[in-house]
Structures are given as structure tokens and as C-alpha cells.
Amino acid sequence: MSDDGRHALTLIALLGSVFSPYYAAARSRGLGMGEPLDHCAMNVALYGPRASHWALTERRRTAVTRSPSALQIGPSAMRWESDDLLVSFDETTSPFPSLLPTRLRGQVRLIPHSAPPAPVRLDAAGRHLWTPIAPIARAEVTLSHPELRFSGSAYLDANAGDEPLEDAFTGWSWARATTGEGHRHPHASAAHDEVAVSYQVERRDGSRLRIARTFDRRGDERELGAHALRPFGRTGWGLSRSIAVDPGTSPHLVRTLEDTPFYARSLASATLGGRQATVVHEQLSLERFQCSWVRFLIPFRMRRAT
């Protein structure tokens, strides 16, 4: 998220694109779990004050190169340079909603400002792990298509699983909240001293996992103080959204960044620890994702490289 709040960028490297209808079809044809490396993608989403851009091209294993410090998926790559993560991408936007695909090309340098906490088991069997690698970070973004530069608060995490998400969960909501200090210090050396992350997981067996923690630059974490889950409106597709906030306060929707039948990404404002915070939030319904009509629509938001 840029310091002035006007732009945001999300990058997701997918080794086994969990929401791919082609990956799901491979499993349903009796091919076991399918081959994850035949369904890889570098998802790039750019949000601006006037327009947004979305790119997701699924590629086969021949387009993937991996090492302990680098990952290449087609024309896009992530690699560690000392303690920084450098991401370069050159992708084509998906055909929907625009009928004229455009290029998304640029580079991001992510500079961690916190030590990585230990992985968290999301399910009782330990088949799904979440690792908040850098809860506090800065990002320097340089794009050539479209031409744009900005820097701001950033975050890096990883999810890993040994089975499809819908086998273990019915849905989840995730949120990362930062207070306003970063907006008052636009230089790259400035970063938030503490962030709050909440993860509300609904398991397939009916149990729940509730995570609400603050992280600081040293990598220390503690449970978030008294808080309550409060809704902040449904999406256009009817997904409900809620955020952990101070008791007696209510969150407010600032902008819906992504609105799909089974997934939403949003920007909200909320009060945490007595301070006003900017919240990046995601809501996922895996019950919706399993619907045949939803899987019919997904290819309109992605490409499949041949």
C-alpha cells in the first residue's frame, strides 16, 4: 500500500494454483492430486484511484524454475538478494472485465523490518501451514507498464498445504492492520513498529481457529488485547465481511478491491488498541468456490498458457 493510500499492489506466486478449475479438473479425472507444477502462476493485481489491473496466467512445469533462493514462473520471478526480496514481473492482464488485454510489467523490492515468526497450523491434522514471513516490511515499486512509482507499507507471508483447501476448510477471513505512522513518514527507512494480524478459519469438521496477534520489528508477537469481530458490509456477491476491532467500535469500508463470487479483497478503517488503523482484508468462501457455476466463471479472470 502506497504511503499516500492511492495505490496498492498484490503479488502471489502459486505453485499449484489452488483456485484453478483446470487443476480441479485434473484431480476429478482420477489423476490423484494432479501435478501442482502443471498449474503455476504469478498473480499480479494493481489498484489505483481510477483503474485496477489483474493478471493471472497459469503455466506448466516447463515454465517453472526453482532454487532455495529464487523462483521463476514464465516471465516473472522472485529472488532473495541478501535480506531483500526482489520480484520482477511481466504479465498480461486477464480478458475480463476489459476486452483489450494490457501489459503489467515492473519490479518490487520488499525490505523486511521484522523477524519471521514460527509457522502456524491452520488445521488439526497439520496439513496446512501459514507462515507470516515478514509481518512488517517496506516495498519500493517501480512499474514501466503502466508507468508508475511508489513506496509504502508491505507484508509477506506463505501458505502451504498437502490437500485442496476445500477439503479442510469452508472459508476464512484474514486481515492486517497498520496504524497511521507510515503515512507521516514517506521515506523508505520508515516502517510501522507494530502491526496486528487476524486470521479467522472455519474448518470443514465444524471447529474454528481464531488468531489475533500483534507483531513487532524484533519478531515478538503477543495476543491482541480485548477485541470483537464486527461486520463491515456484504460484497456485491453477498459475502459477509468482519474484522477484529476494539470493543464498542465499528469498522468502515473504504474500498472493495476485489469482488468475486467466492473471494473479496477490501480496504477498511478500524480502531485497534485505541488507535485508528488501515486494514487490508480478505474474505474467502470455499463453499461458494465448490459451486459449479463459480468454477464456470473463473476462467474469465485468468489465462492458460499452452
Side-chain angles (χ1 to χ4, degrees):
M1 178 69 65
S2 64
D3 285 321
D4 62 9
R6 291 170 54 83
H7 297 91
L9 181 74
T10 298
L11 293 155
I12 307 175
L14 296 158
L15 293 175
S17 184
V18 292
F19 304 123
S20 165
Y22 307 104
Y23 193 8
R27 296 195 302 268
S28 66
R29 288 196 297 267
L31 302 179
M33 291 297 293
E35 173 50 60
L37 292 183
D38 276 336
H39 306 276
C40 296
M42 189 77 78
N43 178 213
V44 184
L46 174 66
Y47 308 104
R50 291 181 296 275
S52 297
H53 306 273
W54 169 277
L56 196 160
T57 298
E58 188 173 303
R59 305 179 191 277
R60 297 186 182 276
R61 73 185 85 184
T62 53
V64 179
T65 303
R66 295 184 293 170
S67 76
S69 61
L71 170 65
Q72 180 95 28
I73 303 176
S76 302
M78 295 180 168
R79 71 178 187 273
W80 288 102
E81 285 191 350
S82 186
D83 293 330
D84 297 349
L85 182 65
L86 187 66
V87 185
S88 58
F89 54 90
D90 191 353
E91 300 287 340
T92 301
T93 59
S94 300
F96 183 84
S98 172
L99 297 179
L100 296 175
T102 57
R103 195 175 187 183
L104 263 179
R105 183 181 184 186
Q107 179 175 287
V108 177
R109 180 176 293 275
L110 184 135
I111 307 162
H113 283 285
S114 58
V120 177
R121 287 171 37 156
L122 296 180
D123 64 317
R127 297 190 182 98
H128 298 267
L129 297 177
W130 167 61
T131 306
I133 299 171
I136 303 175
R138 292 285 298 178
E140 300 169 353
V141 180
T142 305
L143 304 180
S144 59
H145 294 80
E147 191 172 345
L148 178 66
R149 295 174 64 95
F150 64 86
S151 60
S153 175
Y155 168 91
L156 175 66
D157 72 1
N159 283 76
D162 294 330
E163 64 182 356
L165 287 177
E166 62 269 26
D167 288 1
F169 311 109
T170 60
W172 70 45
S173 67
W174 171 94
R176 174 183 180 264
T178 57
T179 54
E181 282 85 347
H183 297 287
R184 294 196 295 269
H185 300 285
H187 304 296
S189 60
H192 301 279
D193 290 324
E194 188 176 76
V195 301
V197 178
S198 61
Y199 215 152
Q200 321 298 324
V201 178
E202 309 295 332
R203 295 167 173 163
R204 181 65 60 183
D205 62 9
S207 63
R208 297 177 177 179
L209 175 66
R210 296 288 184 261
I211 300 170
R213 300 175 183 172
T214 61
F215 299 90
D216 64 22
R217 288 171 173 257
R218 297 183 300 275
D220 294 336
E221 55 185 285
R222 60 179 176 81
E223 295 299 315
L224 188 65
H227 66 277
L229 286 177
R230 292 288 182 264
F232 64 104
R234 291 182 176 269
T235 69
W237 287 97
L239 291 181
S240 60
R241 295 172 284 195
S242 60
I243 297 176
V245 298
D246 286 355
T249 69
S250 297
H252 299 281
L253 176 66
V254 175
R255 180 182 177 185
T256 299
L257 301 173
E258 296 291 344
D259 188 355
T260 78
F262 69 97
Y263 175 85
R265 182 179 296 144
S266 311
L267 186 65
S269 63
T271 304
L272 279 169
R275 296 186 294 178
Q276 195 66 20
T278 298
V279 183
V280 178
H281 176 273
E282 73 172 17
Q283 188 77 42
L284 170 66
S285 171
L286 291 162
E287 297 285 75
R288 284 273 192 93
F289 170 67
Q290 293 188 96
C291 296
S292 58
W293 64 272
V294 172
R295 292 190 173 181
F296 171 78
L297 292 174
I298 290 175
F300 290 96
R301 293 295 307 274
M302 63 180 292
R303 296 176 177 278
R304 174 76 173 164
T306 57

